[in-house]
């Protein structure tokens, strides 16, 4: 038998061998990490693999092994032997992990018990099969041609979702042909070991394209689901394709650009499926999905006719059964929900409400007309963009509350002024209903009126009517004599008050969509202490410059600035828990710090971003803040305190307090 050259085998198998070894080596440690850290570690691995020098070291190791063992090393046909030969070269992997902990954009925290050292025996365990997705380049993003002059500081970022795993690319400059060139590795379950197992994985790859401008504002450019299983029909288990990325909203059917993607199964299976087998499987699934959706639509039409027969006035109620996502697909609203576990990133329902309320609210843009568009973003697109409408916020909050084991539902109805709105309700065992406003984090209690008792008063509740409520597995339409919220009975088991959809039909409709698994939340990498100090110094500089223009000097009282910190902490705690604590200590400290005969003024304000210029410009629109910054008197001391509180998904609550003490010259 003719032995291939060392260079040929090295080039052919370096990437596959390295990915295989590191997947086994890393899984042992990652199995001891909390679930929310696994995706961070994988993102860090991806970033480090792209650094110069790692591949060269692996090539040297492969070449040395081939030279030492000759014909004994057959990477494609003998996986156990390959793992055994690579065991002595774990130092390469060790070096990589050390560098990950030092330089990774997603640092690994060592807050767990000491780990058991990895042994050679563990490396010989079964390999995990993965899907390698390499984005080669972007093309034909023609909408950027007209905006290119104004987008010199704007960037494109790719977000990829697959089977609950998520990655994001490095930002690249916006252009007609954005220079994407990155590789991402997604894991399959350990039970997936054969090609026929992979063929049965029907979930597509979800690709989201986000544009970020110079001010940090993000825009959803495209969202697309990509079928990857054509790679199973290649002898090398790989397949390259040019994928059109469709726009969103009104442009859902129009391609906004093209991504050239290379799919590859690692390690190589050494076998292939026939093209017609893969095509037949995909066609069968699409046909079954279309038939299930057709049957559900027929059921929904009949269900709606029965609902209207109960009372003609039902036709005017807000009963939302279907909604379009950003890709233009019409989906049952229940399919937007799923129990979402935040792990240790979010540890209480009220913390979840605070987190969701900090995500930027943005009305769905329209082109012409003032009508409200029917567009609900998928969870992946919403988290990628970091902004959305009230329905997007309510869906995320309800999913998190479901994850905490609460009986939670999204409510569709109207606000006190008659405008359509969505919020969340949780129902307790005693019948008490709690409403959660996802845009503010506020909670309201609704007592169910008992038979014979007068209608309850809910003047503090900002909602007027409710047309329907739904969760991930149930849908109820309000069929009570009136849809007014104050007199509404929320006993969903009462068929005289609520018309229920068949749970089996809902389950079938949700399964037919073949949508990607919901992504997990990602931990913020921002250091709150560093970010707070940086923002505080920037605001001091801006305030001093503003005073200098007015001919005023600036004297900063650092001690007074520190005394402001408990107040900001108290404000955030009150927003998160509804409990106000710490104000007494703050007031005592200020009274002791302000000299006799001096006046103290303070102005607190909260933001969801840390852009110092935007913060200063907004704060100066307040008369109180303007008086503080432009204070002119005797013995004027100025103080600014900034507090940045971080949440998952790079969401942050930024609290600022401007303060001064002075002796009036009047």
């Amino acid at each position: 038998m003719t032995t291939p050259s060392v260079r040929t085998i090295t080039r052919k198998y370096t990437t596959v061998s390295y990915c295989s070894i590191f997947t086994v080596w890393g899984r042992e440690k990652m199995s001891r990490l909390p679930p929310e850290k696994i995706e961070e570690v994988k993102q860090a691995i991806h970033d480090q693999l792209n650094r110069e020098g790692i591949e060269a070291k692996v090539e040297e190791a492969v070449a040395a092994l081939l030279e030492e063992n000759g014909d004994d090393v057959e990477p494609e046909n003998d996986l156990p032997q390959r793992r055994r030969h690579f065991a002595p070269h774990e130092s390469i992997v060790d070096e990589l992990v050390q560098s990950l902990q030092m330089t990774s954009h997603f640092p690994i925290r060592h807050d767990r018990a000491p780990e058991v050292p990895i042994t050679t025996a563990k490396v010989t365990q079964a390999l995990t099969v993965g899907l390698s997705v390499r984005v080669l380049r972007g093309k034909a993003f023609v909408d950027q041609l007209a905006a290119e002059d104004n987008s010199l500081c704007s960037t494109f970022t790719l977000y990829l979702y697959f089977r609950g795993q998520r990655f994001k690319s490095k930002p690249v400059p916006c252009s007609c042909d954005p220079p994407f060139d990155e590789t991402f590795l997604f894991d399959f379950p350990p039970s997936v070991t054969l090609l026929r197992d992979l063929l049965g994985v029907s979930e597509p790859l979800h690709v989201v394209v986000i544009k970020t401008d110079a001010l940090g504002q993000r825009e959803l450019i495209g969202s697309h689901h990509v079928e990857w299983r054509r790679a199973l029909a290649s002898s090398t288990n790989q397949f390259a394709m040019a994928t059109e990325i469709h726009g969103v909203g009104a442009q859902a059917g129009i391609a906004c650009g093209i991504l050239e993607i290379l799919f590859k199964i690692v390690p190589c299976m050494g076998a292939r499926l026939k093209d017609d087998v893969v095509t037949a499987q995909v066609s069968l699934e699409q046909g079954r999905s279309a038939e299930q959706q057709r049957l559900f639509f027929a059921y929904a039409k009949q269900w709606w006719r029965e609902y209207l027969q109960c009372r003609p006035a039902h036709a005017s109620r807000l009963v939302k059964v279907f909604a379009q996502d950003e890709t233009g697909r019409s989906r049952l609203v229940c399919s937007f929900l799923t129990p979402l576990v935040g792990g240790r990133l979010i540890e209480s329902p009220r913390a979840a409400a605070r987190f969701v309320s900090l995500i930027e609210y943005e009305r769905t843009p329209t082109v012409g007309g003032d009508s409200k568009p029917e567009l609900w973003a998928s969870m992946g697109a919403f988290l990628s963009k970091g902004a959305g409408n009230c329905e997007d916020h309510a869906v995320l909050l309800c999913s998190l509350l479901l994850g905490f084991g609460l009986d939670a539902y999204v409510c569709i109805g109207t606000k006190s002024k008659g405008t359509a709105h969505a919020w969340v309700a949780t129902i307790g065992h005693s019948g008490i209903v709690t409403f959660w406003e996802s845009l503010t984090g506020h909670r309201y209690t609704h007592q169910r009126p008992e038979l014979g008792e007068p209608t309850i008063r809910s003047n503090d509740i900002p909602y007027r009517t409710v047309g329907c409520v739904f969760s991930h597995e149930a849908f109820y339409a309000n069929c009570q004599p009136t849809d007014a919220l104050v007199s509404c009975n929320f006993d969903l088991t009462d068929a005289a008050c609520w018309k229920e959809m068949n749970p089996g039909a809902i389950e079938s409709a949700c399964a037919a969509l073949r949508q990607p698994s919901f992504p997990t939340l990602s931990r913020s990498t921002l250091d709150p202490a560093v970010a707070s100090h940086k923002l505080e110094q920037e605001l001091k500089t801006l305030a001093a410059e503003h005073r200098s223009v007015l001919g005023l000097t600036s004297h900063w009282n650092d001690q007074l600035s520190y005394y402001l910190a408990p107040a900001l902490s108290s404000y955030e705690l009150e927003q998160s828990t509804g409990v106000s604590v710490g104000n007494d200590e703050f007031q005592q400290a200020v009274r002791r710090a302000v000299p006799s005969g001096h006046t103290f003024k303070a102005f607190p304000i909260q933001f969801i971003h840390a852009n110092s210029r935007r913060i200063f410009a907004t704060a100066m629109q307040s008369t109180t803040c303007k008086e503080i910054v432009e204070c002119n008197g005797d013995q004027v001391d100025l103080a600014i305190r900034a507090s940045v509180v971080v949440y998952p998904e790079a969401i942050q609550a930024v609290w600022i307090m401007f303060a001064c003490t002075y002796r009036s010259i009047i």
Side-chain angles (χ1 to χ4, degrees), residues 233-482:
S234 169
S235 59
T236 57
N237 293 156
Q238 66 180 22
F239 174 71
M241 63 183 302
T243 303
E244 286 188 346
I245 304 299
H246 292 173
V248 298
Q251 295 180 304
I254 305 173
C256 66
I258 298 174
L259 291 179
E260 294 187 3
I261 304 177
L262 176 65
F263 294 100
K264 189 173 185 179
I265 306 299
V266 292
C268 181
M269 297 290 193
R272 61 183 291 267
L273 298 176
K274 294 182 179 180
D275 287 330
D276 55 354
V277 172
V278 176
T279 302
Q281 176 69 19
V282 173
S283 299
L284 178 64
E285 293 172 354
Q286 292 175 347
R288 184 186 300 118
S289 174
E291 178 63 14
Q292 288 176 322
Q293 293 184 61
R294 186 192 65 80
L295 292 174
F296 179 80
F297 186 73
Y299 164 76
K301 289 175 63 177
Q302 178 61 32
W303 178 90
W304 177 249
R305 283 193 293 267
E306 294 173 356
Y307 179 66
L308 295 182
Q309 290 172 0
C310 297
R311 191 174 289 108
H314 289 175
S316 61
R317 296 187 179 181
L318 288 178
V319 179
K320 186 72 174 174
V321 179
F322 296 96
Q324 280 193 343
D325 63 15
E326 77 280 359
T327 65
R329 291 193 304 173
S330 181
R331 296 167 48 180
L332 174 65
V333 291
C334 299
S335 69
F336 287 87
L337 287 167
T338 193
L340 186 59
V341 178
R344 297 189 180 276
L345 300 180
I346 298 180
E347 297 192 333
S348 73
R350 296 196 183 190
R354 176 58 174 163
F355 159 65
V356 176
S357 71
L358 291 171
I359 301 177
E360 184 178 354
Y361 169 70
E362 178 183 84
R363 295 181 182 274
T364 304
T366 59
V367 180
D370 296 327
S371 61
K372 178 180 173 59
E374 299 294 337
L375 177 61
W376 296 18
S378 63
M379 189 71 71
F382 179 45
L383 293 178
S384 299
K385 185 179 180 182
N389 55 32
C390 64
E391 292 86 0
D392 300 331
H393 284 75
V395 165
L396 176 57
L397 176 57
C398 186
S399 295
L400 289 169
L401 296 183
L402 287 170
F404 279 108
L406 300 181
D407 189 18
Y409 302 86
V410 172
C411 301
I412 303 295
T414 60
K415 299 181 72 173
S416 56
K417 294 184 179 180
T419 57
H421 193 63
W423 67 96
V424 180
T426 54
I427 304 177
H429 290 293
S430 60
I432 297 178
V433 179
T434 302
F435 296 137
W436 305 67
E437 177 49 60
S438 58
L439 297 182
T440 63
H442 294 164
R443 302 165 67 251
Y444 310 92
T445 301
H446 176 88
Q447 295 281 353
R448 187 179 74 182
E450 299 296 339
L451 185 64
E453 294 184 359
T455 301
I456 64 170
R457 295 181 179 179
S458 301
N459 296 330
D460 295 334
I461 297 179
Y463 315 120
R464 179 180 175 183
T465 65
V466 56
C468 65
V469 301
F470 62 89
S471 68
H472 63 299
E473 56 188 10
F475 185 96
Y476 300 91
N478 187 354
C479 56
Q480 300 172 58
T482 174

Side-chain angles (χ1 to χ4, degrees), residues 106-167:
F106 293 87
I108 302 174
R109 293 179 56 190
H110 299 280
D111 54 358
R112 298 175 62 83
E115 299 179 354
V116 179
I118 300 297
T119 64
T120 302
K122 292 183 179 179
V123 179
T124 62
Q125 294 178 0
L127 289 174
T128 299
V129 179
L131 175 65
S132 172
V133 180
R134 181 180 179 186
V135 182
L136 301 173
R137 62 185 64 84
K139 288 184 177 181
F141 284 80
V142 293
D143 288 345
Q144 300 308 313
L145 288 175
E148 205 158 350
D149 293 339
N150 300 324
S151 303
L152 296 178
C153 297
S154 299
T155 59
F156 278 145
T157 305
L158 295 180
Y159 291 79
L160 287 78
Y161 301 89
F162 183 67
R163 298 187 62 80
Q165 305 166 74
R166 55 190 300 197
F167 286 106

Side-chain angles (χ1 to χ4, degrees), residues 55-67 85-86 89 92:
E55 184 176 353
K57 293 183 179 181
V58 178
E59 289 182 356
E60 292 176 3
V62 174
L65 287 170
L66 290 174
E67 182 177 357
H85 283 295
F86 264 95
H89 292 268
I92 297 175

Side-chain angles (χ1 to χ4, degrees), residues 220-240:
L220 178 60
I221 298 298
S223 176
H224 195 67
H225 299 97
V226 186
E227 178 60 65
W228 55 272
R229 285 177 289 180
R230 293 287 299 279
L232 303 177
S234 169
S235 59
T236 57
N237 293 156
Q238 66 180 22
F239 174 71

